[in-house]
Amino acid sequence: MAIISLKNVSKIYRTAAGEQLAALDNVNLEIEEGEFVAVVGESGSGKTTLLNMIGGLDQPTEGSVLVDSHDITSAGDRELSLFRNRSIGFIFQSFHLQPLQTALANVMVPLLFADASWPEARKKSETSLGLVGLADKVNQRANQLSAGQCQRVAIARAIINSPRILLADEPTGNLDVHTGTDIINLLKQINMEQKTTVLLVTHERDVASQAQRMITIKEGLIISDAAIKAEGDENKQ
Amino acid sequence: MKTSNRLMLACEGVMTKKVRTFMLGIGVSVGTAALIFLVSLIFGAKAYVDEKVGGIRENLLNVGIKPPPPHNPQPLDDSAYRQLLQIKGETGEVVDVYRELPIAPRPYIKVKNQPANNWLKVVSVDEGLYQNNPDNPIPDFKYRHVEPVDESEITFPEADETEATEEEKDTNFIPVIVPNVFVEALTSFAGDERKSLKQFFDILQGQEPFYVLVQGKGYRCKVVAVDNTVSSWSIAVPFRYGEEWNRHQGEQFPDYKWPNYDRFVVEATDIKHLDDIKEKIAAAGYQPQPTEAQEIGIAVSRGAMYLFLLAVTFCLVIALVSAIGIFNGLSISIMEQAPRIGILRSVGATRTDISSIYLFEAAIIGIVGGIIGLVAAHLLMWGSDIALKDFLSDVTNIRDIQTLFVWSLPEAFYIRTGAVGLGVITSLLAGVGPAYRASCLNPAVVLREG
Ligand SMILES: Nc1ncnc2c1ncn2[C@@H]1O[C@H](COP(=O)(O)OP(=O)(O)OP(=O)(O)O)[C@@H](O)[C@H]1O
Ligand SMILES: [Mg+2]
């Protein structure tokens, strides 16, 4: 049973000129639990849109998105918010941290919406920061951290509620190659150890090649979907 | 999501833009301070007037015959009194019913040239009555008027509360007739302390001294004789003393004939019951008449109300202006903080969470502004008191002002909490729109832009 299943999902935007633009065009996709999937494609091809649909951050114009057999496209705001809080972790290219807040405070935010008690939230956040290797930066402000450390904090925030799905939108886009590799390894580690399903959007081929499966999108259409051999070979399915 | 967590996120939001929050709060502060200042001033003025015309006993109601004489010569008698008493029993809104008795006897009093302490205040001095009365009712009694005494003529020894000796009576006491002074004095005396009628009789019989204040000077007085030829003043005494009074008058002045009652006086437990009582009295066939005190009271209240409305209007304008400011400020900060809203939504904030967080921000602005306004108002009132008191005592002869404002509980408490509450409500109302808009932001869109 696929953990994520998109059925005939389309997302049509109306551009300023009044034309209709299909960011996603009748997409069908299934992702199994525990998979590490890379999503590649040109800029503007619809990668972010795809992630937003899966993460319940935006609604498709047509079609349905099923996560764990639940149709999240018909969920109300409260249900959808709870779903994002419990089942999804978002990671962004630009981290989206509160710069004046400490690493701990940033990581804790999702717990505020999960009604965790203060000591519990603190403990969980520290554990989470430990998992991403930032046990010693707990009380450092986000604006005093390096880019790589920032992304680690963002990952710690994403995984704090032990979500079943991690959606990472170009997490290495703002990082140098070396730091980027560290981040990808961290995501792989989370994927391995916690069986978290990871969707990774990236521009970089070698980043994508670290995944088990690579989906290529072009103008809202999935033009290829293939498993990747551990060595990096591609096989058409 | 827990309210405390929403509040915490609101505080975080505020802390990232302290200066702006402060500036928005200033609008609320000005309104709050102005409201507290003006309303405290108005209530202070009212308190001052109340104190000055204090004891005007607005809760008294005159009851006359209906229609008034001479058309209906039916006197007010004991049965009428009992009808009024019935109203007291029915409503519980009446303290007591008094019979208003004409004071036929005019007392002659002796005045000792001595200041004393516990004055009865005398409102007016009418010296005309006796000057124009050629028939001296007690021919062998020598008397003269209290002339407004020249201060230089009198020596004021230390205040002396002791009885004058026989000797003193001849030397220090001046036998005088102070017609209305006495009656006024005793009217207010009996008015304030109706129950001590015994004392009143004692005074009338010359067994007790009393004190009057005539044109700024105090006199210790004693009644030496009573003139029962003039009847122009009346005094309300509790009905139950009526018999006593009659007996007293009869013993003292056998020729004196007691007339029918001119009117009754009904004392209400509270002025707010007056209308109700009036209706009942009218229904019983008598005519309730407002007293002068009520008219003064109404005039004062009305004047205060106009000023109050003026102050409220003024403050509403300030409230409106600061509401517009807060609306703008919050709208701008929501646009600036759009990515933060996106992030909060992505980690599980519902739309309600988002709008609550921004409403809390608005409330914080209101509370901060309100508290600053409260402090400012106190400083302003404190400063005004000092400055204006000096100014007034320099340019006028007003020296008895303690404060221009009302500081006493519970008014002061209500004014302050009311003003701060109004500030918070204003900013909350101003925050509704922006908070709603924040909750409507599409997280996918704002995260893309951030
Ligand atoms: N809110 C919107 N209104 C109109 N058009 C939009 C909106 N959001 C996205 N689009 C359009 O949808 C298409 C897909 O956008 P999307 O962000 O998914 O691309 P992407 O693959 O993530 O690109 P990139 O690699 O640059 O991030 C683009 O052409 C974009 O201009
Ligand atoms: Mg994108």
Side-chain angles (χ1 to χ4, degrees), chain B residues 76-114:
Chain B
L76 284 169
D77 53 15
D78 289 1
S79 74
Y81 170 76
R82 268 187 280 280
Q83 265 179 289
L84 293 178
L85 266 197
Q86 218 174 331
I87 296 177
K88 175 185 172 182
E90 278 168 16
T91 60
E93 293 165 353
V94 174
V95 175
D96 210 344
V97 179
Y98 307 96
R99 44 169 45 168
E100 183 123 308
L101 304 171
I103 292 191
R106 283 287 152 184
Y108 299 89
I109 56 177
K110 273 184 172 182
V111 173
K112 187 184 180 187
N113 277 343
Q114 202 177 66

Side-chain angles (χ1 to χ4, degrees), chain B residues 395-414:
Chain B
V395 300
T396 69
N397 59 354
I398 303 171
R399 283 190 181 71
D400 60 341
I401 296 179
Q402 301 299 315
T403 174
L404 299 163
F405 306 91
V406 65
W407 295 91
S408 61
L409 296 168
E411 290 98 327
F413 175 77
Y414 289 144

Side-chain angles (χ1 to χ4, degrees), chain B residues 206-220:
Chain B
Q207 286 165 9
E208 245 192 49
F210 68 101
Y211 305 94
V212 292
L213 194 65
V214 182
Q215 297 185 350
K217 291 189 182 61
Y219 298 96
R220 179 176 152 125

Side-chain angles (χ1 to χ4, degrees), chain A residues 42-49 51 93 169-170 201 203, chain B residues 448:
Chain A
E42 292 166 13
S43 181
S45 55
K47 306 183 295 291
T48 300
T49 309
L51 249 51
Q93 179 175 358
D169 196 350
E170 299 189 43
V201 167
H203 271 122
Chain B
R448 179 184 304 275

Side-chain angles (χ1 to χ4, degrees), chain A:
Chain A
M1 182 71 218
I3 187 168
I4 300 167
S5 163
L6 275 69
K7 294 197 171 132
N8 306 323
V9 170
S10 294
K11 179 72 184 178
I12 317 272
Y13 287 113
R14 203 173 284 278
T15 59
E19 296 156 25
Q20 296 206 333
L21 187 146
L24 289 179
D25 194 356
N26 208 14
V27 169
N28 285 286
L29 177 67
E30 298 223 326
I31 292 169
E32 298 299 324
E33 173 137 37
E35 271 193 286
F36 193 113
V37 182
V39 180
V40 296
E42 292 166 13
S43 181
S45 55
K47 306 183 295 291
T48 300
T49 309
L50 178 70
L51 249 51
N52 287 345
M53 296 301 134
I54 295 170
L57 220 48
D58 210 351
Q59 300 279 349
T61 318
E62 260 172 64
S64 54
V65 179
L66 279 78
V67 178
D68 237 357
S69 333
H70 287 293
D71 186 356
I72 62 165
T73 46
S74 62
D77 176 52
R78 191 170 279 275
E79 206 182 326
L80 209 53
S81 300
L82 190 70
F83 163 73
R84 287 195 297 263
N85 183 258
R86 297 296 156 89
S87 306
I88 303 288
F90 282 100
I91 300 161
F92 304 93
Q93 179 175 358
S94 50
F95 325 134
H96 284 311
L97 300 177
Q98 286 293 298
L100 296 177
Q101 304 278 321
T102 62
L104 188 80
N106 270 292
V107 171
M108 216 184 272
V109 176
L111 293 176
L112 296 179
F113 298 93
D115 285 347
S117 74
W118 184 254
E120 186 191 340
R122 207 189 151 83
K123 210 173 135 231
K124 267 189 154 184
S125 309
E126 279 170 353
T127 313
S128 193
L129 278 166
L131 273 175
V132 299
L134 286 179
D136 56 334
K137 303 287 184 200
V138 168
N139 290 317
Q140 198 145 333
R141 283 199 197 162
N143 61 2
Q144 294 166 345
L145 294 171
S146 73
Q149 287 166 339
C150 280
Q151 196 58 293
R152 281 167 188 272
V153 172
I155 292 171
R157 177 177 65 191
I159 62 170
I160 191 150
N161 271 334
S162 315
R164 299 181 60 192
I165 302 166
L166 266 186
L167 302 173
D169 196 350
E170 299 189 43
T172 59
N174 279 4
L175 306 174
D176 60 60
V177 178
H178 178 69
T179 322
T181 309
D182 285 351
I183 293 295
I184 298 301
N185 286 337
L186 181 58
L187 290 177
K188 279 168 83 175
Q189 184 193 331
I190 293 164
N191 168 254
M192 299 264 281
E193 287 174 4
Q194 305 187 16
K195 303 279 171 278
T196 311
T197 310
V198 178
L199 257 81
L200 172 73
V201 167
T202 182
H203 271 122
E204 296 152 64
R205 282 270 150 185
D206 20 324
V207 171
S209 64
Q210 311 250 357
Q212 302 160 353
R213 175 178 166 191
M214 183 159 78
I215 295 169
T216 312
I217 302 186
K218 191 176 182 185
E219 291 174 3
L221 294 164
I222 296 182
I223 56 166
S224 91
D225 184 349
I228 302 170
K229 285 265 168 71
E231 295 77 39
D233 292 338
E234 267 183 51
N235 274 344
K236 287 254 155 142
Q237 271 189 341

